[in-house]
Amino acid sequence: MRRQLLLAAALPASALLAGSAGAQTTTITSPAPDRVALTVYRSPYGKGAMTLRYLGGFALVTETRRVRLPRGPAIVRFEGVAEGIVPVSAIVDGLPGGAIEKNRDARLLSPASLVDGTLGREVTLTRTDTATGRQTSEAATIVAGPAPGVVLKTATGIEALRCSGLRERLGFAGVPAGLSSKPVLSVTTTSPTARTVTVRLSYLASGFDWRASYVASLATDGRAVDLFAWLTLANDNPEAFSEADVQAVAGRLNRVAVRAVPAQARALRLVCYPLGTTTSDLRKRQFEPADEIVVTGSRVMAFAPITQAVAPPAPPAPPPPPEDLGDLKLYRVPTPTTVAARGQKQVALLVQKAVPFERRYRRAVYPGQRVDGATTSIVLVLKNDKQGGLGVPLPAGSTALYADRAGERLLLGLGAMSDRAIGETVRLAAGVSSQVTLTQLVAPRDPAAPAPGAGRAREVVLTASNGNAFPVTLDVPIGAAGQAIETDGREVGRVDGTFTWSPQLPPGGKAELRYRY
């Protein structure tokens, strides 16, 4: 009796194992996420403008999807992931049976992949007579392709596509298995029961970057600027992210290069023996049909009815301050934002009114460099603290300075800025001056004297000139940070670790510095 009970207890487990071993795997497709979040990380050394083809940053993409799972093993296909996805970084949460296997399906639906997936199968070949416009269709089998051409087998024999001199096209009964019009990440899982679950898919993807774009407007009194900054997001992926929760991280991470799996979507290139007449390669003149001419916007506006002016919308709320993420800074976009495919998006990052500044001139030199009456850069120096009207971390990016003259906005200077922490100095490019110049001469070496490496330093003479009718302050960084400089007794301070000479030049005056290196 006891033996019979043991056998009866063992039967359900064995039956379950046999059922799971013989269960058929079901494929489930999730066409798009219900919600997506983007955390964009900058290129490690990026500053200034961005180029879509050379984006060095990346993003952490987090997608939320609702998936209906069957009972037993299943393959869940997540369509619409970013093309630059790094498959090994993907994390899937919410599957009852976990993720057993991950696959990045890189083959996208294209003319070439469609032909390649239909080799040996029957298609419909349709020909159009160019003289009469009559169309004829017949069954054909693709026997070779897609490169360098497509070879078909018809009732009349073997022929190449579009090499008969007639207009030809192929009709396919369906899309071959494994092809998708969107990048796909597939996950193998198993579920004890049929249910609908909420899945969170997180992965790293290349083809992203961001910068800060600063726009400074000079006040009429010439003593302060209104500083505004855009957060410019760049996305080189062909996928758009609609109504995404976007945030950007400033700072430098320890990164290891991981190559993304490129999507394969090749075009179909057909090569035939040259056909036609001796004039078939002449350039054809094409004219725009008359029915495609459109009325210009100015003419449309001329007949537009006069309507009552609409009040402008309320200004958006100011962006939130940055958050600490360890030693990094996190900037949140307050509202859901759509990041377009292969494009850039700008949202407000910073608004600071009436920030005082000091107008200075600047020219960096290196010991031993010959400089003869070189021009200097005009910079507006801002102090990044509360007393200076700022006191917020400023991420790297491009700068543009404008001024209003007689009701017209004029550009004064373009530049770039690295990350500036609270308490550091911020410099805005304001053009180039030919009135404040700098000359550097290196004293000739005495042939009888020992070489500089043997204990004798070389002497250099710096001369600064001011041709303006007002006094100016000139900053001259000398050499690199940490380099030893000996002066002729004058005080030369260090700015960001670099010896910097800062003479006060009166109107039409000069200043001189002798130093050794």
Side-chain angles (χ1 to χ4, degrees), residues 360 473-477 491-493 495 500-505 513:
R360 302 174 79 98
T473 301
L474 175 64
D475 293 328
V476 185
E491 290 293 332
V492 178
V495 178
T500 303
W501 179 43
S502 300
Q504 305 286 331
L505 301 177
L513 173 71

Side-chain angles (χ1 to χ4, degrees), residues 445-458:
R445 181 183 299 171
D446 186 359
R456 182 175 178 82
R458 301 200 64 178

Side-chain angles (χ1 to χ4, degrees), residues 6-16:
L6 291 175
L7 288 175
L11 280 176
S14 61
L16 179 61

Side-chain angles (χ1 to χ4, degrees), residues 367-388:
Q369 176 188 12
R370 182 177 178 83
V371 180
D372 187 10
T375 59
T376 56
S377 299
I378 309 171
V379 294
L380 306 186
V381 180
L382 291 70
K383 190 65 176 178
N384 189 12
D385 54 23
K386 293 296 183 181
Q387 293 76 16

